Amino acid sequence: MTQEIGGFAAFNLNPNILAAVTATGYEEPSAIQQQSIPIIMAGHDMIGQAQTGTGKTAAFALPILHRIDPAKREPQALILAPTRELALQVATAFETYAKQMPGVTVVAVYGGAPMGPQLKAIRNGAQIVVATPGRLCDHLRRDEKVLATVNHLVLDEADEMLKLGFMDDLEVIFKALPATRQTVLFSATLPQSIRAIAERHLRDPQHVKIQTKTQTVTAIEQAHLLVHADQKTSAVLSLLEVEDFDALIMFVRTKQATLDLASALEAKGYKAAALNGDIAQNQRERVIDSLKDGRLDIVVATDVAARGLDVPRITHVFNVDMPYDPESYVHRIGRTGRAGREGRALLLVTPRERRMLQVIERVTGQKVAEVRLPDAQAVLDARIKKLTNSLSPLVAEAESTHGDLLDRLTADIGCSPRALAAALLCKATNGQALTLAAIEKERPLVPNNAPRGDRPERSGDRPERSDRERRAPVPLAEGRARCRTALGARDGIAAKNLLGAILNEGGLAREAIGRIQVRDSFSLVELPEDGLERLLTKLKDTRVAGKQLKLRRYRED
Ligand code: AMP
């Protein structure tokens, strides 16, 4: 067994769980895992202050799996998550960690999917139920005993659940569970409302908080790029085109990711290699030596494997996967800017990880500016600059060594020197795209398709109304659905009328309602996906400005 796996082995988890964790490629527990796993395994209630990206899902999933009895075919653990996306993500994580536990099944229960199969899966004996509160309450209304056997409850992203207006639903769910259950609450922030829940529903909870102390990072220019998880490799390849680097280290989370990314880079002609805990020590040293002397330019590493790495040539650090905590971020980017040189650090942020970015900014006391993917013009300029740099030192000498050959070839081929030089460039650049049109065609990502999530609309440069009405809708935030009413500005409607009507008659919290867009002949409102059908039924007879609201789910396609 390698030294790194010792980290997880020390918890004494069920060997089948440990085997699954090892297979995922995790090398060592993150800080929140280190602290939470023993507490939850011992059966205590717990309050964990941690956000997405810290490894919090495994922090509760592993000990909960350890505590359930696979032989019992009944719900034993309930995980509540604010959105359907998170519920699915958590359910998938449980499935991964339970891969080698025969008989363990997981069901995800959320709005927008038929209720029957969900209830059937619960009744068929799924031990782990991952649910959004609204939909779970719908199930409880049909069968109030459905959760009677649950003895572990996890509230994931509790603050988000309250923001989405799930307080009442949570109370209903607490009542439906045995009082003797274990309760674990994870939340990025602990406002009074969360503390009040903990006081009422947790028994003598232990607190876990990842301590963050302010750290300064000087001489390193930092930036971040918003990107979807499945677009990371393309984004990295685009960034490499325009970043002027000497040597570069990229951080990812798993061994597999080091291998995948390193081979994608090699395929594009970069001198790249992977560095992870599975690679023997002497081989790791060889990789680092190669990075030092320029036989390699890029190393793709996990945190563990990059420990102690000190290579003055490193001008750039790419955080391709988010670090677990700000300390590790500071540690990672400290690989550049060595010996008084300047360094540059780029962080890829997926929509769910934006909160972690804010924590990093707070802890480091520095703004991490947003950059966009380079556009085709920037890529073209960078390629031409590289070509210029590689050719200009040769020009003076080459004329004397190869000038006569040029004359002979132009004569033999019967072409102009310009035509011959163009043919040579074509050969030398190996078919690389060197016009705007060709670059645009080859690029899988365009700079402005990065996820914007719930960014507010900019108020400047608005097109005329007719244009605006045709314009594609702004991307939806996670957990929200867009609804449409045929009432618009021409009916005398303003956003505040819609807001008032939905708040009063729908019984939602203000935070539960997203963007409201009033157009001339219709309006769009963003509402919580979970419990949407119930809400629309409630609003069935609502009137605004004397007319029927008739709010319906709006499909963009
Ligand atoms: P979470 O904070 O639970 O959303 O986890 C964020 C990501 O980190 C997920 O992609 C996990 O698969 C990954 N992850 C969690 N724990 C570890 C670990 N100990 N080592 C490597 N990756 C991890």
Side-chain angles (χ1 to χ4, degrees):
M1 196 175 281
T2 66
Q3 194 193 338
E4 289 78 31
I5 292 162
F8 277 102
F11 294 128
N12 279 327
L13 285 160
N14 169 333
N16 290 338
I17 302 174
L18 180 61
V21 170
T22 309
T24 58
Y26 299 173
E27 295 191 322
E28 61 168 20
S30 68
I32 190 83
Q33 292 164 359
Q34 194 72 55
Q35 294 188 45
S36 312
I37 292 176
I39 295 175
I40 304 174
M41 274 175 83
H44 297 294
D45 282 6
M46 196 195 94
I47 300 175
Q49 211 177 335
Q51 52 268 311
T52 300
T54 50
K56 68 178 164 61
T57 315
F60 61 76
L62 302 179
I64 296 263
L65 282 172
H66 177 84
R67 287 180 61 82
I68 62 158
D69 179 355
K72 278 198 193 149
R73 311 277 313 151
E74 60 191 21
Q76 295 173 48
L78 168 66
I79 314 338
L80 292 176
T83 63
R84 151 192 167 147
E85 288 75 12
L86 185 64
L88 282 168
Q89 204 173 301
V90 169
T92 310
F94 266 95
E95 275 166 359
T96 309
Y97 307 136
K99 225 176 221 151
Q100 311 201 20
M101 294 176 81
V104 173
T105 48
V106 182
V107 57
V109 168
Y110 49 83
M115 289 180 68
Q118 296 178 348
L119 199 55
K120 197 163 156 213
I122 302 178
R123 289 192 177 136
N124 278 351
Q127 294 89 345
I128 313 285
V129 179
V130 186
T132 52
R135 173 51 70 93
L136 190 64
C137 282
D138 293 343
H139 283 294
L140 283 172
R141 266 184 281 278
R142 285 191 182 179
D143 175 0
E144 60 183 20
K145 290 265 170 290
V146 77
L147 300 176
T149 52
V150 166
N151 40 27
H152 309 280
L153 168 67
V154 179
L155 303 167
D156 194 8
E157 300 197 357
D159 48 357
E160 291 297 316
M161 284 199 267
L162 293 198
K163 269 194 211 153
L164 289 173
F166 286 134
M167 187 70 200
D168 294 347
D169 289 339
L170 288 184
E171 292 295 339
V172 171
I173 296 167
F174 282 128
K175 276 209 197 86
L177 298 173
T180 50
R181 66 172 192 267
Q182 174 184 30
T183 310
V184 172
L185 181 153
F186 274 94
S187 193
T189 56
L190 290 186
Q192 186 43 39
S193 49
I194 302 279
R195 287 176 208 270
I197 288 192
E199 220 149 81
R200 280 202 306 277
H201 299 288
L202 272 66
R203 279 172 305 160
D204 202 9
Q206 304 214 4
H207 288 251
V208 167
K209 183 176 177 187
I210 304 308
Q211 292 299 336
T212 49
K213 44 183 187 317
T214 307
Q215 317 223 2
T216 35
V217 263
T218 45
I220 302 172
E221 190 188 318
Q222 302 170 66
H224 79 273
L225 177 88
L226 281 173
V227 67
H228 283 297
D230 59 354
Q231 297 175 333
K232 283 185 178 179
T233 304
S234 319
V236 164
L237 291 172
S238 286
L239 291 168
L240 285 178
E241 294 263 6
V242 294
E243 290 293 332
D244 192 6
F245 65 93
D246 195 0
L248 196 156
I249 179 154
M250 297 188 184
F251 284 98
V252 292
R253 286 200 162 173
T254 63
K255 297 170 193 173
Q256 193 56 45
T258 62
L259 302 175
D260 293 346
L261 187 52
S263 56
L265 293 168
E266 277 190 299
K268 286 281 171 192
Y270 292 103
K271 292 186 281 177
L275 201 63
N276 64 49
D278 270 357
I279 297 173
Q281 190 55 36
N282 56 356
Q283 171 65 13
R284 286 197 223 174
E285 279 160 20
R286 272 204 294 278
V287 168
I288 293 168
D289 286 343
S290 303
L291 189 66
K292 280 187 181 151
D293 64 25
R295 276 173 295 157
L296 280 176
D297 291 329
I298 304 178
V299 162
V300 188
T302 53
D303 290 293
V304 172
R307 224 166 252 167
L309 187 148
D310 184 4
V311 178
R313 256 189 88 219
I314 295 178
T315 51
H316 284 60
V317 171
F318 277 17
N319 287 291
V320 178
D321 288 336
M322 181 68 88
Y324 302 114
D325 44 56
E327 280 77 13
S328 126
Y329 173 78
V330 172
H331 202 70
R332 284 180 178 188
I333 69 172
R335 306 277 155 222
T336 184
R338 296 257 156 168
R341 297 198 201 180
E342 290 196 353
R344 182 159 159 80
L346 272 164
L347 174 66
L348 301 195
V349 182
T350 62
R352 293 198 58 81
E353 292 168 341
R354 271 185 270 189
R355 184 106 64 130
M356 186 64 163
L357 171 66
Q358 288 164 9
V359 176
I360 287 175
E361 289 183 328
R362 205 179 54 234
V363 170
T364 57
Q366 283 180 31
K367 192 100 193 104
V368 180
E370 183 182 354
V371 290
R372 296 295 195 94
L373 280 173
D375 60 14
Q377 185 64 55
V379 172
L380 177 63
D381 292 346
R383 287 185 184 177
I384 292 180
K385 187 170 164 210
K386 273 187 203 142
L387 196 57
T388 312
N389 290 346
S390 69
L391 291 177
S392 54
L394 304 178
V395 175
E397 183 104 346
E399 187 163 7
S400 59
T401 57
H402 290 68
D404 291 345
L405 180 61
L406 184 88
D407 292 340
R408 160 123 197 234
L409 288 176
T410 46
D412 286 358
I413 300 170
C415 65
S416 67
R418 180 180 151 91
L420 184 60
L424 290 171
L425 275 176
C426 182
K427 209 165 155 89
T429 55
N430 250 330
Q432 189 184 36
L434 284 161
T435 62
L436 269 186
I439 289 174
E440 258 151 21
K441 223 191 268 162
E442 79 177 6
R443 284 155 51 85
L445 283 182
V446 286
N448 57 2
N449 80 341
R452 310 307 313 163
D454 46 7
R455 196 174 62 130
E457 237 173 325
R458 265 185 296 141
S459 55
D461 61 7
R462 290 195 171 207
E464 290 301 309
R465 180 183 289 149
S466 54
D467 250 350
R468 208 176 341 145
E469 294 207 2
R470 269 185 257 121
R471 192 177 47 185
V474 198
L476 266 180
E478 235 171 64
R480 291 204 197 275
R482 189 170 275 128
C483 294
R484 182 184 192 279
T485 162
L487 303 184
R490 69 173 179 203
D491 303 292
I493 298 285
K496 64 172 192 266
N497 307 124
L498 292 173
L499 180 66
I502 298 169
L503 283 180
N504 290 336
E505 308 211 10
L508 290 185
R510 171 66 191 93
E511 301 79 31
I513 304 176
R515 188 195 320 269
I516 299 181
Q517 300 165 79
V518 177
R519 304 285 161 79
D520 197 35
S521 57
F522 66 96
S523 304
L524 300 173
V525 186
E526 290 175 14
L527 296 169
E529 170 74 59
D530 201 48
L532 184 66
E533 299 311 320
R534 232 182 328 139
L535 175 67
L536 295 182
T537 313
K538 259 194 197 170
L539 295 172
K540 201 162 54 71
D541 300 319
T542 303
R543 298 175 81 84
V544 185
K547 295 190 177 157
Q548 274 229 300
L549 178 62
K550 285 197 187 153
L551 206 53
R552 301 266 183 276
R553 181 191 279 274
Y554 174 63
R555 308 255 175 220
E556 260 116 66
D557 42 16

